[in-house]
Amino acid sequence: MFGKKKVDPPVVPVRWDTEGGFVVGEVVRPSAFRKKGLVGRRAVRMPVTLDGERHFAAAAFVEQRDPEVRSYELYDATEAEGLLCTVEPSSGGRGGERYQVRDQAGQELGVVFRTPAAKRAVQHGWWLRQPGHPDVVARYHWAKGSAREVAGRGADAAVRGAGSFVGSVVDSVLYGEQAGDIHSSVRPTKPVTWRADDEVALTAGHTQGIKLYVPQASWLERRLAFALAVLRQE
């Protein structure tokens, strides 16, 4: 009927283990010309198309357990919000931050690490460790061999380059989006690629101004990738 306002289609939740990319946030539908955006609960969301428009359907709701620390619970958006996993800081490692990711039964899914700020010129800000697989870290055109070898070569280059100034420039140019970890004024444009040895495991780019993560390796635990994205978005 003429003049009747069109009703937005319902954006129903999707299964968290559905293949494909995901985002983290409240945006259900980005704003567009003469159309107001829609927002909802904070969640891991997957792109869906409704009436020819891109929407982001909830797959896992994100709840912060403790407002004082980065501690989260992720709940299945399709099954009465059953617990999918927990993300909690833990001790151990050689500095930096470390977050244990466990399933609803308390079994370890893996660990998300954040490299100390002083070392981000030679290795990626956020990376993963999943039991039974090589470390999942960002690689660049000069990065060959193991994560330890990459870090060693980067450290040597940083020393030769005379310290923190060169380190920050290298971080801005090579790390693209990760440069935000050191508050770079350079606007990132390139996607980030995480690899497990020579295999691409996870990528992150942008769609409609929203950061999109795309798991690539079939063995990569999606809940571990969710945890990295949630932590990285904060």
Side-chain angles (χ1 to χ4, degrees):
M1 182 181 295
F2 180 77
K4 186 176 181 180
K5 185 177 180 180
K6 183 179 179 180
V7 177
D8 291 318
V11 185
V12 299
V14 296
R15 287 186 57 87
W16 67 271
D17 54 358
T18 302
E19 292 185 0
F22 65 88
V23 305
V24 176
E26 296 84 13
V27 175
V28 177
R29 184 186 67 202
S31 58
F33 180 67
R34 293 185 177 179
K35 180 161 290 189
K36 186 178 180 180
L38 300 176
V39 296
R41 288 175 60 182
R42 184 164 179 75
V44 174
R45 297 178 174 275
M46 298 188 66
V48 296
T49 300
L50 300 172
D51 286 353
E53 295 181 332
R54 175 68 61 87
H55 291 70
F56 295 95
F61 293 120
V62 179
E63 299 291 342
Q64 189 164 10
R65 301 179 68 178
D66 186 339
E68 301 298 323
V69 297
R70 287 178 169 175
S71 178
Y72 304 91
E73 293 176 340
L74 274 62
Y75 292 90
D76 191 334
T78 67
E79 297 184 5
E81 301 188 20
L83 181 65
L84 288 178
C85 66
T86 59
V87 183
E88 292 189 346
S90 65
S91 59
R94 299 179 180 179
E97 301 172 27
R98 175 188 175 105
Y99 298 87
Q100 204 83 32
V101 184
R102 298 182 180 277
D103 66 14
Q104 64 272 28
Q107 297 296 311
E108 180 182 276
L109 297 174
V111 181
V112 179
F113 296 88
R114 191 182 194 196
T115 305
K119 296 183 179 180
R120 288 178 204 158
V122 295
Q123 66 186 71
H124 185 271
W126 292 98
W127 55 284
L128 303 173
R129 178 170 292 162
Q130 182 174 327
H133 297 279
D135 289 346
V136 179
V137 299
R139 306 276 182 163
Y140 305 96
H141 67 280
W142 50 267
K144 302 292 184 180
S146 68
R148 179 176 295 180
E149 291 169 341
V150 171
R153 287 199 300 274
D156 291 341
V159 170
R160 291 195 302 272
S164 60
F165 173 75
V166 170
S168 65
V169 172
V170 170
D171 208 29
S172 298
V173 174
L174 295 180
Y175 288 179
E177 290 187 305
Q178 302 90 272
D181 287 340
I182 58 171
H183 308 292
S184 168
S185 61
V186 178
R187 181 173 179 80
T189 58
K190 295 182 179 180
V192 183
T193 299
W194 285 266
R195 295 177 182 268
D197 286 341
D198 292 328
E199 180 181 10
V200 175
L202 177 69
T203 59
H206 282 83
T207 177
Q208 294 179 274
I210 300 174
K211 192 172 295 181
L212 177 73
Y213 294 82
V214 183
Q216 304 282 349
S218 60
W219 50 262
L220 181 64
E221 169 57 62
R222 286 182 68 85
R223 288 169 291 183
L224 192 57
F226 291 170
L228 179 144
V230 168
L231 289 163
R232 196 164 175 252
Q233 295 291 99
E234 290 299 316

